[in-house]
Amino acid sequence: MNDPLTAFPGYSLRRAAHASSSELANRLAAIGLRQSDASVLMLIGANPSATASALGRHLAIQRANMVPLLKRLEDAGLIERAPIDGKSQGLALTEAGQDRLAQARQTIESFEEELFLRIPAEHREHLLPALEAIWR
Amino acid sequence: MNDPLTAFPGYSLRRAAHASSSELANRLAAIGLRQSDASVLMLIGANPSATASALGRHLAIQRANMVPLLKRLEDAGLIERAPIDGKSQGLALTEAGQDRLAQARQTIESFEEELFLRIPAEHREHLLPALEAIWR
DNA sequence: AGCGATTGTAGTTGATCATAACAATCCCCG
DNA sequence: CGGGGATTGTTATGATCAACTACAATCGCT
């Protein structure tokens, strides 16, 4: 079939992101996490007592959309909130959260490594800088 | 903020795809199209009398999800269907569809060019092959 | 003639994102 | 110190995209 789309980097970008994203989502589902859950766990793990707003800003997740996400993690006993002042709350991992994060990290790291290795060697080192130029 | 995610190609891939995708969606919305609409128009334009199933296979859109998409395009008077045999139908652009496709093509091509130019020169030629290695 | 595969369709579900609105609180400047 | 603009968490709602199941009709091949 004649295909005018695959020559476009933007189109290929979407297809590649979708493919890799759904693969990772599958693997994370095996430990009961979504990608956004895992991202938030990773970020809280690296930044204890960060606020929901700050995490959202950094992950490009709207404040409003953080609410059900954090509620899910809290209901699952993975995170807990501690008031910082009257309006902000610091987020931290519970012990269960740290365990789950370890699993998530393992899942993500091996996934990312496989992904990286699928790229022909001569292009590998160019991918990340090229992508960052697009969204940073 | 300490960020363990941006070093991952997969994460950066999702962020870049989301950024570029929503930008393109905005521009296409100005001519009344979604990205999937535009993709389908492009593909029909390059492959007259292709079937819905064939398009879907090529674009990685499930047969079932092509239905509302094609209905939208047909209701907008952009495509028409001609029975090939008892169960297949060939899709073709109407005149309005060809006009709209021309606009879409213009929009997409200038978008893709801008996108391409945002990538530092030394990485540009590596992006497409790297992406294709991921999803092809 | 018949059986497996394909096609189009309908309906439902879930995930992700965007947006608007609101009350409570914070922070800074006059 | 007081007040106004900004920030925070939250509720609610809608749009988009994508996955799944199921079904009837038809095709293609043996």
Side-chain angles (χ1 to χ4, degrees):
Chain A
M1 171 164 303
N2 198 342
D3 184 349
L5 294 172
T6 47
F8 291 130
Y11 178 77
S12 214
L13 183 57
R14 253 169 293 145
R15 290 292 296 268
H18 182 256
S20 105
S21 197
S22 63
E23 165 66 18
L24 177 59
N26 272 342
R27 301 199 194 180
L28 285 175
I31 56 173
L33 292 178
R34 303 182 189 174
Q35 299 184 66
S36 41
D37 296 342
S39 306
V40 168
L41 287 185
M42 294 271 282
L43 215 50
I44 296 179
N47 302 276
S49 85
T51 68
S53 290
L55 294 182
R57 263 190 303 272
H58 202 263
L59 293 169
I61 300 177
Q62 317 280 316
R63 237 172 37 250
N65 294 329
M66 293 291 291
V67 175
L69 200 168
L70 292 177
K71 176 167 186 350
R72 198 168 47 235
L73 293 178
E74 190 178 26
D75 288 350
L78 303 180
I79 64 171
E80 53 194 3
R81 325 192 191 204
I84 293 182
D85 55 28
K87 75 173 174 183
S88 299
Q89 37 189 272
L91 301 171
L93 298 178
T94 61
E95 288 204 13
Q98 295 186 21
D99 293 350
R100 195 71 67 89
L101 170 56
Q103 298 176 33
R105 185 178 282 128
Q106 171 61 34
T107 302
I108 292 175
E109 280 173 358
S110 61
F111 167 77
E112 292 281 354
E113 190 180 342
E114 290 174 33
L115 185 71
F116 198 61
L117 291 178
R118 291 184 53 183
I119 304 169
E122 69 268 30
H123 304 306
R124 265 180 215 150
E125 303 305 329
H126 296 277
L127 181 59
L128 196 51
L131 292 176
E132 292 192 336
I134 292 178
W135 67 272
R136 282 257 180 152
Chain B
M1 171 164 304
N2 199 342
D3 183 348
L5 294 172
T6 48
F8 291 131
Y11 178 78
S12 214
L13 184 57
R14 253 170 295 146
R15 290 292 296 266
H18 183 255
S20 105
S21 198
S22 63
E23 165 66 17
L24 176 59
N26 272 342
R27 300 199 195 179
L28 285 175
I31 56 173
L33 293 177
R34 303 181 189 175
Q35 299 184 65
S36 40
D37 296 342
S39 305
V40 168
L41 286 185
M42 294 270 283
L43 216 49
I44 296 180
N47 303 276
S49 83
T51 68
S53 290
L55 294 181
R57 264 191 302 272
H58 202 262
L59 293 169
I61 301 178
Q62 319 275 318
R63 236 173 34 252
N65 293 330
M66 293 291 290
V67 176
L69 200 168
L70 292 177
K71 178 167 185 351
R72 198 168 48 235
L73 293 179
E74 191 179 25
D75 288 349
L78 303 181
I79 64 172
E80 52 195 4
R81 325 193 191 205
I84 292 182
D85 56 26
K87 77 173 172 181
S88 299
Q89 37 188 274
L91 301 171
L93 299 179
T94 62
E95 288 203 14
Q98 295 186 19
D99 292 350
R100 195 71 69 86
L101 171 55
Q103 297 176 33
R105 185 177 283 129
Q106 171 60 35
T107 303
I108 292 175
E109 280 172 0
S110 62
F111 168 77
E112 292 281 354
E113 190 182 341
E114 288 175 35
L115 186 71
F116 199 60
L117 291 178
R118 290 184 54 181
I119 305 168
E122 69 269 29
H123 303 306
R124 267 181 213 149
E125 302 306 327
H126 294 277
L127 181 59
L128 196 50
L131 293 176
E132 291 192 338
I134 292 178
W135 68 272
R136 281 258 180 151

